[in-house]
Amino acid sequence: MKHLFIVLLLTPLIFVKANAQETERWDKEVSAAPNANQQWFKDAKFGMFIHWGLFAEAGGVWQGKNYYGISEWMMNRGKIPAADYAALAKKFNPTKFNAKEWARVAKDAGMKYMVITAKHHEGFALFDSKVSDFNIVKATPYHQDPMKPLAQAVRDAGLHFGFYYSQFLDWHEPNGGGNKWDFDEAKKNFQEYYHTKSIPQIKELLSNYGPLGLIWFDMPGGLSKEETQKLINDVRKIQPGCLISSRVGNGLGDFKDYGDGEIPATVSTTGAWEALFTHNDSWGYSKFDYNFKTPKEIVRLLTTVSSKGGNLILNVGPDSSGQMPEYSIKYLRQVGKWLKVNGEAIYGTTAGFINPQPWGLTTAKPHKLYLHVFERPNNGLIFIPGLYQIKKAYLLANKQPLVFVKTDGGTNIKLPYLTDTYNTVIAVDLPGKPMQFNPDAPVTVSNQYAANALDAINAHPSGKTQIKSITYSHYFGDWKHTPCLINMATPEDGALFNTSITTPGDYKITLEYACTPAQARQEGVMNLNGKDYQFETLPTSDYESHKPLLFIKQTIAITTITKPGLYRLSVHPLHSGTELFKLKTVWLEPVN
């Protein structure tokens, strides 16, 4: 999707050579002053991204070769000459495009805004541009501007509308960023590109399609902070209420976009932010990618993002005829049915103030806590640690009152059954304002669940140990981000987990980690309940950001917990050496 940065360092122009998928250069910083118009965005929680362009005509195939992964980067991956790639426009004829149907799908899905690629890195404009003839009206047999009816249909459906625009990368233009196989990078004049195409087209989008909720920039480069601010000022003059994504660059956006497929490791309660995922493995249409997320996976993804205080924008990739994938339409509408019943627990909420629990996650509103139950414990008791004052608890789906009772360390709510296998929501009325989120709260462990996870984000690092999100990929551009504990290399480096074990019994303890062959066969120590358990690490794979990262689950011990209470579990190297491993999760599995 959006994975190449060339960074302007100083004047005169000096550029860092960037890898074709350099994720470290995603700009996730925003302006220190919150935009006064951002509340609708923070309340929306769920939006639709649409990646559409000439790449839909190719569908990930060029001259008989399948390009697995993100199809919209095929031109770059295949080093396809700009003139050859542009010939796709002669066949691009989306006669089945129906603006009202697209808007209807988004509304039926429970989405509150839509963003579409007006111009992606290929340089082709999906709108009637007077700036460049390389657009859908002049270069294709379609000869129509689909953005006009789409903008209107989306607004008529009650949703906010926005454009994506790749402001720096343009593989079609001699002076655009990114195309090094056709054009000499040293001879490019990026300023000329900005002033003759990029900025004029941005102004066309801002001026000709009615009020925009947001403009989604991507891949900054070639502009100083002052020049980026001037671009933002131009946006404000034409569309004062329009929000600007953080990928405008130089830390000057209104809302933060994380990396493709990334959710922040911890709760983020300040500012507006968005996690962006695609429905299958590609952002643009792919003829052979059928790995679509199920309705259950989408509901849980949306819940996870909401529980951390942000929005989920989920992408679909229509084909060249103008039709959305069948599974996208069907599955998104099923998500919409869930939201019709449970949307109160998503829209307008803030992050929950309870740590992730074995049963699920939480979101909150003033005087309200929502428990999102993914897994019902065997005894039906939903334990809420640290919460003692409750006015009422009930199932959100049918308003059935639920019995609750205070217990050691919190409150138990009796859940007799699940109303929904995707996510059963319990609404809890509180007598006062919600508690503040406590990241140091112990993680609950119980034999009422098949497995209990102590994730890296729950740890308290010591020494040089850090919690870091490790980025890697499966197919090209199919990014994964996994928080891990890293840099454990000496006995002083380690990680401590505070846990509340609510039911005694035997537990199998398993470490899930990645370890390079060169670092394997080092010894480590896991301590629980005052007893050390030594182990030797096993090799998985070398770490490269553009390859899969393999994790192994290694069982370390079985231990016996004789009484409920607070326990400390720690992990550290036995001797000094290289990094012990990248630790993802400690699993405690009851032995029943």
Side-chain angles (χ1 to χ4, degrees):
M1 178 187 172
K2 12 198 167 335
H3 312 277
L4 173 66
F5 280 85
I6 301 175
V7 179
L8 179 64
L9 297 178
L10 295 170
T11 303
L13 297 180
I14 302 174
F15 289 92
V16 175
K17 184 178 180 181
N19 190 301
Q21 291 245 297
E22 195 171 349
T23 61
E24 291 81 0
R25 300 194 185 280
W26 279 323
D27 199 324
K28 306 175 188 178
E29 300 306 314
V30 294
S31 173
N35 190 301
N37 300 306
Q38 71 177 18
Q39 193 58 48
W40 75 261
F41 180 83
K42 294 180 72 174
D43 290 343
K45 296 303 175 189
F46 196 23
M48 176 179 282
F49 221 155
I50 296 178
H51 273 61
W52 201 35
L54 294 186
F55 45 79
E57 181 64 43
V61 180
W62 187 260
Q63 295 181 346
K65 178 181 177 180
N66 289 350
Y67 284 81
Y68 293 93
I70 53 175
S71 71
E72 72 279 6
W73 270 71
M74 184 190 70
M75 180 182 177
N76 176 284
R77 295 176 66 194
K79 301 295 180 281
I80 301 169
D84 293 350
Y85 187 87
L88 289 171
K90 297 176 182 178
K91 297 184 288 183
F92 188 67
N93 191 19
T95 55
K96 294 181 181 179
F97 166 73
N98 185 321
K100 291 182 178 180
E101 175 63 14
W102 282 18
R104 191 177 302 116
V105 171
K107 186 176 181 66
D108 290 348
M111 292 162 162
K112 301 298 184 183
Y113 60 104
M114 178 188 288
V115 177
I116 186 168
T117 51
K119 187 209 74 149
H120 204 267
H121 311 327
E122 64 186 6
F124 176 76
L126 269 176
F127 60 99
D128 186 10
S129 175
K130 310 305 180 189
V131 175
S132 167
D133 288 346
F134 191 44
N135 68 67
I136 193 168
V137 176
K138 297 183 178 69
T140 78
Y142 189 62
H143 297 306
Q144 299 176 60
D145 183 348
M147 298 301 100
K148 284 278 188 182
L150 184 62
Q152 190 60 51
V154 170
R155 283 191 289 267
D156 288 347
L159 281 62
H160 291 268
F161 183 71
F163 286 119
Y164 165 109
Y165 189 89
S166 175
Q167 74 269 31
F168 178 57
L169 292 194
D170 193 316
W171 302 326
H172 182 75
E173 301 294 336
N175 289 313
N179 186 340
K180 301 178 184 180
W181 56 94
D182 286 324
F183 312 116
D184 187 344
E185 197 79 1
K187 295 179 181 179
K188 290 184 178 182
N189 186 334
F190 296 121
Q191 291 294 318
E192 181 178 338
Y193 165 72
Y194 267 111
H195 291 298
T196 60
K197 183 177 182 180
S198 183
I199 292 175
Q201 282 195 336
I202 291 168
K203 289 181 178 180
E204 287 181 321
L205 292 169
L206 294 165
S207 302
N208 300 332
Y209 296 90
L212 301 181
L214 64 159
I215 184 163
W216 216 102
F217 289 111
D218 197 17
M219 308 309 286
L223 293 181
S224 66
K225 187 169 186 176
E226 292 71 24
E227 289 165 334
T228 303
Q229 185 61 60
K230 185 180 184 305
L231 171 60
I232 289 173
N233 293 342
D234 289 341
V235 173
R236 302 276 189 241
K237 288 176 185 176
I238 304 172
Q239 294 264 2
C242 183
L243 301 178
I244 297 170
S245 71
S246 62
R247 294 191 188 181
V248 71
N250 288 303
L252 293 174
D254 295 321
F255 62 92
K256 179 185 297 188
D257 274 294
Y258 284 88
D260 298 358
E262 180 182 12
I263 302 174
T266 57
V267 168
S268 180
T269 57
T270 58
W273 62 271
E274 190 178 53
L276 46 147
F277 283 75
T278 187
H279 193 192
N280 49 355
D281 291 331
S282 179
W283 297 80
Y285 171 71
S286 172
K287 294 178 180 178
F288 40 81
D289 181 357
Y290 284 87
N291 185 26
F292 291 95
K293 295 175 180 63
T294 65
K296 180 178 181 178
E297 288 171 330
I298 297 171
V299 166
R300 294 193 174 187
L301 178 60
L302 174 60
T303 303
T304 300
V305 174
S306 299
S307 76
K308 295 191 175 186
N311 290 10
L312 170 65
I313 186 167
L314 185 69
N315 178 77
V316 297
D319 64 22
S320 59
S321 75
Q323 292 185 302
M324 290 182 178
E326 174 188 356
Y327 288 109
S328 291
I329 295 172
K330 181 168 67 172
Y331 288 176
L332 286 176
R333 283 184 164 143
Q334 288 179 240
V335 173
K337 290 178 181 178
W338 181 88
L339 281 165
K340 280 185 178 180
V341 175
N342 299 285
E344 176 189 322
I346 298 292
Y347 304 125
T349 60
T350 60
F353 53 87
I354 303 295
N355 269 335
Q357 297 297 308
W359 45 260
L361 305 166
T362 63
T363 55
K365 286 180 180 177
H367 308 291
K368 206 94 168 180
L369 179 68
Y370 299 98
L371 314 181
H372 299 263
V373 181
F374 296 166
E375 182 179 352
R376 180 182 177 272
N378 295 331
N379 60 8
L381 295 179
I382 304 297
F383 177 64
I384 315 173
L387 185 64
Y388 300 98
Q389 300 297 323
I390 291 179
K391 290 175 62 178
K392 183 170 64 173
Y394 56 93
L395 289 168
L396 188 60
N398 57 19
K399 305 301 185 288
Q400 177 183 335
L402 299 177
V403 176
F404 57 90
V405 61
K406 284 191 287 188
T407 185
D408 290 341
T411 298
N412 277 323
I413 297 178
K414 179 67 175 179
L415 178 63
Y417 56 89
L418 295 177
T419 60
D420 194 296
T421 57
Y422 297 173
N423 174 0
T424 292
V425 181
I426 299 173
V428 178
D429 289 351
L430 305 174
K433 292 183 179 180
M435 301 158 43
Q436 294 296 311
F437 177 76
N438 180 11
D440 298 325
V443 180
T444 302
V445 170
S446 168
N447 65 9
Q448 296 300 308
Y449 301 94
N452 302 266
L454 306 180
D455 291 320
I457 60 173
N458 303 128
H460 299 269
S462 60
K464 295 182 179 179
T465 302
Q466 295 178 302
I467 302 173
K468 183 179 179 182
S469 187
I470 305 300
T471 297
Y472 53 100
S473 61
H474 288 180
Y475 286 127
F476 180 92
D478 179 23
W479 294 107
K480 311 296 179 186
H481 309 268
T482 301
C484 292
L485 288 154
I486 64 169
N487 295 341
M488 289 190 203
T490 73
E492 290 72 37
D493 307 326
L496 174 67
F497 297 87
N498 292 320
T499 178
S500 173
I501 303 181
T502 60
T503 50
D506 293 349
Y507 289 86
K508 180 186 292 186
I509 304 175
T510 300
L511 305 182
E512 184 175 6
Y513 61 83
C515 183
T516 68
Q519 295 170 331
R521 305 303 176 187
Q522 297 185 87
E523 291 181 281
V525 179
M526 186 275 295
N527 180 284
L528 176 63
N529 200 19
K531 183 174 181 179
D532 284 343
Y533 300 90
Q534 296 183 15
F535 61 91
E536 183 182 66
T537 58
L538 306 175
T540 58
S541 64
D542 287 320
Y543 171 62
E544 295 183 42
S545 63
H546 297 75
K547 294 182 179 180
L549 180 61
L550 303 182
F551 290 89
I552 192 172
K553 285 187 175 181
Q554 180 185 3
T555 298
I556 302 302
I558 286 182
T559 189
T560 300
I561 302 299
T562 58
K563 60 181 180 180
L566 296 176
Y567 290 85
R568 294 156 64 92
L569 185 152
S570 64
V571 180
H572 63 83
L574 182 61
H575 308 289
S576 294
T578 59
E579 181 182 65
L580 187 65
F581 47 26
K582 290 178 172 58
L583 179 61
K584 175 179 179 284
T585 303
V586 180
W587 293 94
L588 283 83
E589 180 183 346
V591 179
N592 295 321

